[in-house]
Structures are given as structure tokens and as C-alpha cells.
Amino acid sequence: MAQAQRVRSTPFAYVPEHSEDPYNQRVHVKTLALPGSQDFIILSHRSASEYAVERYDADLKKLWTATVPVGPGESMEAFARNDQQALVVLHHGDETGQHLLIQPVDLKTGQKLAAKKVAEGGPQERRPGISISPDGTQLVAWRYVTRDAQIKSLTAAHYDRQLGKLKDRTYDFRDLGSFFSPSVHVANDGTQYVALIGDDNQKLTVRRYRDQEADIKVMSVAVGGTFGGKKVTVRDSQWRLLDGQTLYAAAICADYASGEYYSLKLVKFDFGTADMKFAPEFKFTPEYLAETNKLTGASYKRLDDIYLSDVVRTEDQNVVVIAEHKAEEGPDAPVRARELHVFGYNEFQSPTWHQIIAKNQAAPITESFTGIGYRAAPIGNDVQVVTLEKLKDKTDLYLRKIAALPGTVTEPKALGLNVANDQQVAYVKDFTAWLDGKTMIVVTRPSKKSAALQLNKLVFK
């Protein structure tokens, strides 16, 4: 594996965000690469009432800073960028109502542009939602319309990169009966996919909407059912819009009565070719449980607390699905992120390999989802995975490479950052970003004596 060299570092201001809900997915501090250059932008939490969007160049020189106030009743909802603007989305709620506010920031100058209020609703309604395309040029914001706690429709609006409204529309579900909350995914060309889990948690359905077309295209597949007398339903799922246009769904299914994991299923919804590819299921057999125990040194009686976390596709069209074992161990005990369960599929959607990657990470519950866990990215035909671990008495960031075609995994390689080993924030994984195949940005605290975090640029030789 190529050696990592830290070529730049600079002090970095960041206040850890503590949430009563450690699974809160609305903490959107992150680093985003800017296409066509080595520049990047960061959204960081500066104080209890302020975030900041900052642009850095290849030498980690700060080019500009735009502050984003966050007042009472407001929280960060999303952060994205396109070729012209950074987009910061805030949720505001009080006794009079709620809405989403989109604050654009000019990428060249750092000037805040006119903010836009979207998805306004009543104070007792479900929290409104927003979906932003992978390239940041398309946005869809919506509010929920419910009856007796059941979602009946979404009232949505489609916006372009400059926040100009393209179309108002309604996603109507009154004919579906009961289903899980829908998720909306907007492609780079503005196509909207509404994904649902229905039929008593046994069926995945995707509805495609296009602004210029009246017809709604639908694809649906049963992933659960009754097998050998067992009722099998969806336990966990992840939807990913890859290449900016093709929607994938991964689902872990479990025995409804016992909760025991039954299988992993992967579905590709390709409306462009009117093709839905349903990969053969991977079953969680007793042999798989024994393999997990052998490779991790654990003594699990059954698989539990394993959650789907990534679906990625490499340049040669191989798909890799990653699930992580992550659990709280008691009211005052640390949260642990243990092994990764990794599954490979070839370009024809056939499962070709699986790997169980042992790791042992722990953190106090207040810091648990800041530093532990992992970051992954497809680089060429590999998937690179970065973790913070203590291996052989050395606490550092470690890099593993998973070759997507054969499924081989390299031994963890220390990046040489000498990360602090204590109960304070030492690594913020949300700031980990790949600028290209050989350049990575990370934020760490280098030692116990250091009170400040550092922004680091690593180059692989």
C-alpha cells in the first residue's frame, strides 16, 4: 500500500455537537471537494449559535468564511454544493409553524446570497424534508400530508441550482395502504424517485416522476414473504442514487417473530433501460455466524445491531455493500463500533464474495458517532476505508483497501497522524474527504496535550 505523507496541516476551529439522540442523522458537519481543483469547502460548528462555511485551497489556505447563525428552534438539516454555490439548509420550528430555509453561499466570493424558505408547514406536522442531487444542481423540498398518522401524500416543489422553482407537484400514496415513510431521491437531471417499503414491510417500491411527463413509472419487488413457515420482513434498508441517476436498494431481512437475521438483498432500479435487477440473496446462516465469531474473536449467539451503512459502485461497475456492527452497551457504558460486514457484487449483479473486517472502537456516548465508525469511498476499482483505532498500542487513523472484484482486503495501514488517545474528541470522521485518488483531507487532534484540532492534507505516494 502506498505511504501517506502529511504535506499540510493548519489549526481548525470546531465545537463538538452533542445530541440527546446519538443516532441523530441531521448533524451535517462535513468536507466537500470542489470538482476541477484541489479546493474544498467545510461546514463546521463554531458555537452554540453559529456554523461556518469555509473554502480552502490546495495549501490549506483559508480563502473565505461565511457564517451561518442558528437561532433558537433551528437546527442543521443538510449541506451540499454545486458548481456555483454552497447550500446550507436549516430547519426552523416553533409554536407558529416550521419550515426549511436554504442559505446559498457564492463559491467564488463567499458572499451569502438571498435565502429561500421552502416546505412550510404547521407546528404539529411531521418534519419537512429535502433531497439534493449528488451534483447539487437539483433540489426537492416537501411537507407531509397525513390522516390518522398515516402518510397520504407529499406536497413537494422542485428547484434548480439557483433556487428557481421548476414545478410544484404532489406525490400521492392514497392507493397504497400502509407503508413506511417514503424517501425522495432526485437525480442530476431532475428525475425524482420516491422509494417506499410497503406490503407489511415485505416489498420495495420505487415511483419515478419527471417534470415533463404526466405518467408515473413504477417498479416493485417483494424481498420478504413466508419461507419455511417463517414470516420474513425488512429489518433495515439503505437507498443510494449512484452515478447521479441509478437507484440501488439494499435490505437486511429478518424473521418477524424472532428478529433473527435472515438474508441480505440488493436491487437495482434502472428506469433508463426499464430494467430491475434483483441480486440473489445472501443468507445469514449458522455458518456465517460461526465465521463472524472466528474472525472477530467474539462469541455472538446471533447477529444483532448490524446496520446497513454504504452502497458504493466502483469504476468497473462492481457494487460493494457495507454494514456495521454498532451498539450502545448500557446507560453509562461506551458505544462500540465493531466489525464491518462487506459484500461484493459483480457488474451483472451477482454476489461474488463477502468479508468480515474486525475492528474494535469505543467512545463515550456523547462522542460516539463523531470519531468511531468509518469513512469509505470508491477510488478506481477499490473501496478505501478509514477508521480510528488502537492497534499494537498505536492510536492512529488506519486505511484499508478493498478490491471490489476479488474482494481482497489489505492489512490496516497507519496514516502516521499520531492521534490523541483519550476521552476527548480526537478525530471527526465527517470531515474526512478524498479530493482525488491520492489526496485526503482529515481533521484530528494530534496529542493529549493539544487542545485544538488540526486540518490535515495527506498525499499518498
Side-chain angles (χ1 to χ4, degrees), residues 106 320 359 367 377 411 445:
D106 186 278
V320 175
K359 61 185 180 72
E367 309 295 346
E411 291 296 319
R445 187 163 59 88

Side-chain angles (χ1 to χ4, degrees), residues 5 47 49 96 115 124 135 143 153 155 209 212 241 244 248-249 257 280 309 318 335 341 370:
Q5 178 184 6
S47 70
S49 60
T96 65
Q124 302 304 316
D135 66 1
R143 60 183 292 191
S153 63
T155 302
Y209 299 80
Q212 65 274 23
L241 188 65
Y248 285 78
S309 49
N318 291 294
V335 174
H341 297 255
T370 300

